[in-house]
Amino acid sequence: EPHFWEAASMKITHKILEEYLNCKTKGHLKFAGESGTPSDYEAMTMAASQVSREAAVAKLVERFGESDDCRGIAATFASLGQGAPLLADASLEDEALSLRFDALKRVDGGSKLGDHHYVPVLHIHGDKVRRQQKLMLAVCGQALARVQGMRPPMALVARGSESKLGKVRLDAKLYKKAEQVLDEIKRLQASGEPPRLTLNKHCHLCEFMQRCRK
């Protein structure tokens, strides 16, 4: 288990960000390398979501990808500059973040890459796009901007295993909130102080339920 001074130098991963957006305490504990006992329901939900995600990404590749070679590519200025219609299971690393995208889709619109840029695509298992998922997309858009020189004004969600696409507007207000979330996580990293404990509606499904209630 890493000490907090070690964790402070670790990158913020997609998973930690996801956990933090759902529950600050869980994000903090995961960043510290801790784990609890997942409930049967949580394990079942995670497994169903993973199966749905795999099917959705395969559908995106079938619909927009030129070949299976579009999977697992790092999002760099060079790779995005090639202008592939879709990059599935793409990754992006910078000094603070280590992100995974379900997909990046090319759209028209000038950027440092040329006459195109990319928008992030996030798979969601259900139908409703929650605030946390919009914030996740804004963080992804912010990271993409450092590579392509412009923040995408919108993102896409791929719903369910059928990968039904819908748009999410990424406005200045959402981007500002995403910056605040990243700043919060970095402060927690640096201090090692746990966030204020808040009990949530989904606590009974969480691996840390007993610990937090205690």
Side-chain angles (χ1 to χ4, degrees):
E1 179 178 312
H3 293 290
F4 275 104
W5 63 267
E6 291 174 318
S9 65
M10 288 167 60
K11 291 187 178 184
I12 300 167
T13 65
H14 190 95
K15 187 65 181 169
I16 287 167
L17 192 54
E18 195 173 54
E19 300 288 18
Y20 184 83
L21 287 171
N22 283 318
C23 172
K24 293 182 180 183
T25 297
K26 188 172 184 180
H28 171 78
L29 291 171
K30 285 291 187 183
F31 205 92
E34 298 194 31
S35 59
T37 307
S39 67
D40 290 345
Y41 181 82
E42 186 179 19
M44 186 178 68
T45 303
M46 284 172 64
S49 182
Q50 187 59 29
V51 169
S52 175
R53 179 190 177 275
E54 287 301 322
V57 172
K59 279 263 195 318
L60 288 171
V61 171
E62 185 184 322
R63 200 181 311 167
F64 302 110
E66 292 173 329
S67 70
D68 264 349
D69 292 343
C70 71
R71 296 189 80 140
I73 294 171
T76 63
F77 184 78
S79 64
L80 298 186
Q82 290 175 11
L86 185 89
L87 296 176
D89 286 320
S91 60
L92 191 153
E93 300 263 348
D94 63 21
E95 66 282 352
L97 296 168
S98 177
L99 296 179
R100 169 194 55 75
F101 300 89
D102 292 324
L104 293 171
K105 188 174 183 306
R106 187 189 71 197
V107 296
D108 292 335
S111 71
K112 281 186 179 177
L113 304 172
D115 60 1
H116 70 276
H117 63 275
Y118 284 84
V119 300
V121 183
L122 179 69
H123 166 260
I124 59 171
H125 186 40
D127 281 328
K128 189 174 180 182
V129 185
R130 295 179 295 133
R131 178 176 168 275
Q132 295 96 317
Q133 291 160 331
K134 290 180 181 179
L135 280 170
M136 175 68 84
L137 284 166
V139 170
C140 290
Q142 196 86 321
L144 259 182
R146 297 189 193 117
V147 180
Q148 63 186 14
M150 59 94 69
R151 294 194 304 199
M154 66 98 173
L156 295 169
V157 289
R159 293 183 172 91
S161 57
E162 289 302 308
S163 206
K164 293 174 183 172
L165 289 179
K167 289 183 181 180
V168 173
R169 185 166 167 253
L170 302 179
D171 57 21
K173 190 176 177 182
L174 196 58
Y175 274 123
K176 185 175 182 182
K177 184 59 186 170
E179 285 174 15
Q180 289 170 351
V181 167
L182 286 175
D183 286 342
E184 279 175 20
I185 297 176
K186 286 171 188 171
R187 279 199 299 273
L188 283 174
Q189 275 180 269
S191 69
E193 290 294 318
R196 183 180 175 188
L197 183 63
T198 306
L199 297 180
N200 301 300
K201 287 180 182 177
H202 54 262
C203 282
H204 64 290
L205 306 175
C206 178
E207 63 192 280
F208 298 114
M209 177 185 72
Q210 298 298 339
R211 176 181 179 144
C212 290
R213 287 198 172 166
K214 190 175 175 183

